[in-house]
């Protein structure tokens, strides 16, 4: 029984047309379906399921839900029992409640974020196919993002009130969904506050991350590129199209990834991320960063505080 991967995120956007230009022409995702109300479904060229990103029209930016794909339909029953025994409410939703998916489970994470588990989603296939494939397809637009890599959620942490939704999410993902904890940031005089965490269900350093903030929200969604030169070229592309860049190409200490941060037209933060970082396995010891080295962990080269990086999110 296993959660295989982050299956998709449903993002709220203020203008579908502007968002589409950003996610298709600049990032290179491929539109696979569209609802009458304007909701659009997108995938990366190297993904095989129908979509990994849903853009939904809204008057407010942010993440509406995240969804994880589990290996087999029958596992949903087992996960339902586990989630209920843990003490969280969970509802079964019929097939197609999540568009193009089989039945699903809906729950609110301890942090309040909406989350689905599902086992089946309509198969589309990679753009290069499966028989004697080329390494990449012709006709890619913009950055040619390969796949949705991970999501980082902001979770309420208020030591004065004893609230730590980062720690609660880590406990839930570890005990109920069998995620591993690759890295964490600890704060406070004795390092007693878990202020951020990077967790995995695949073999990459993270499939989901949690950071501390005054309220729940979305810090960023991240798309995989092959290597450092793709990160640089994509940053050129962002500048060329006057996309608001948050942090220029860098290396993370945490996860060791190469990165660039920027915003979509609605203000949702995006990241392009490259490199394996390292191989995560369930028995790998968790890497810990203390508060003094927080910024070295985030932006390894300078270790400098970048003003609103942790404070601005949707
Ligand atoms: Fe990231």
């Amino acid at each position: 029984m296993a959660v295989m991967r982050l299956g998709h995120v449903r993002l709220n956007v203020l203008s579908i047309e502007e968002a589409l230009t950003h996610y298709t022409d600049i990032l290179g995702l491929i539109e696979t379906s569209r609802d009458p109300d304007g909701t659009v479904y997108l995938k990366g060229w190297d993904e095989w399921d129908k979509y990994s990103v849903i853009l939904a029209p809204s008057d407010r930016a942010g993440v509406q839900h995240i969804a994880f794909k589990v290996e087999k339909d029958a596992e949903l029953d087992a996960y339902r029992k586990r989630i209920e025994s843990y003490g969280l409410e969970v509802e079964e939703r019929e097939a197609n409640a999540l568009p193009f998916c089989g039945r699903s489970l809906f729950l609110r994470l301890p942090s309040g974020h909406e989350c689905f588990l599902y086992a089946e989603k309509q198969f589309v296939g990679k753009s290069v196919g499966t028989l004697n494939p080329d390494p990449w397809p012709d006709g890619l637009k913009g950055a040619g993002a390969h796949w949705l890599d991970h999501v980082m959620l902001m979770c309420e942490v208020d030591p004065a009130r004893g609230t730590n939704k980062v720690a609660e999410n880590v406990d839930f993902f570890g005990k109920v969904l069998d995620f591993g904890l690759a890295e964490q940031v600890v704060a406070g005089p004795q390092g007693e506050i878990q202020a951020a965490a990077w967790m995995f269900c695949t073999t990459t350093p993270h499939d989901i991350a949690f950071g501390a903030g005054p309220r729940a929200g979305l810090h960023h969604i991240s798309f995989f590129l092959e290597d450092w030169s793709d990160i640089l070229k994509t940053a050129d592309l962002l500048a060329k199209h006057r996309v608001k860049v948050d942090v220029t190409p860098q290396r993370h200490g945490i996860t060791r990834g190469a990165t660039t941060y920027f915003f979509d037209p609605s203000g949702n933060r995006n990241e392009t991320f490259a490199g394996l970082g390292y191989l995560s396995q369930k028995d790998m010891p968790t890497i810990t960063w203390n508060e003094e080295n927080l910024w070295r962990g985030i932006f390894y080269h300078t270790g400098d505080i970048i003003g609103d990086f942790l404070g601005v999110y949707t």
Side-chain angles (χ1 to χ4, degrees), residues 121-132:
K121 186 183 277 179
Q122 190 176 316
F123 175 82
V124 172
K126 297 185 178 197
S127 296
V128 291
T130 51
L131 181 65
N132 311 315

Side-chain angles (χ1 to χ4, degrees), residues 43-60:
K43 70 183 278 294
W45 67 265
D46 214 7
E47 293 175 312
W48 49 92
D49 279 348
K50 181 86 172 180
Y51 60 86
S52 59
V53 174
I54 307 174
L55 302 174
S58 175
D59 55 8
R60 220 180 132 186

Side-chain angles (χ1 to χ4, degrees), residues 222-231 255-259 271-277:
S222 186
F223 298 95
F224 185 84
L225 300 180
E226 190 163 318
D227 58 26
W228 172 248
S229 66
D230 290 326
I231 293 285
T255 74
R256 297 185 199 148
T259 175
E271 179 187 28
T272 45
F273 183 90
L276 169 67

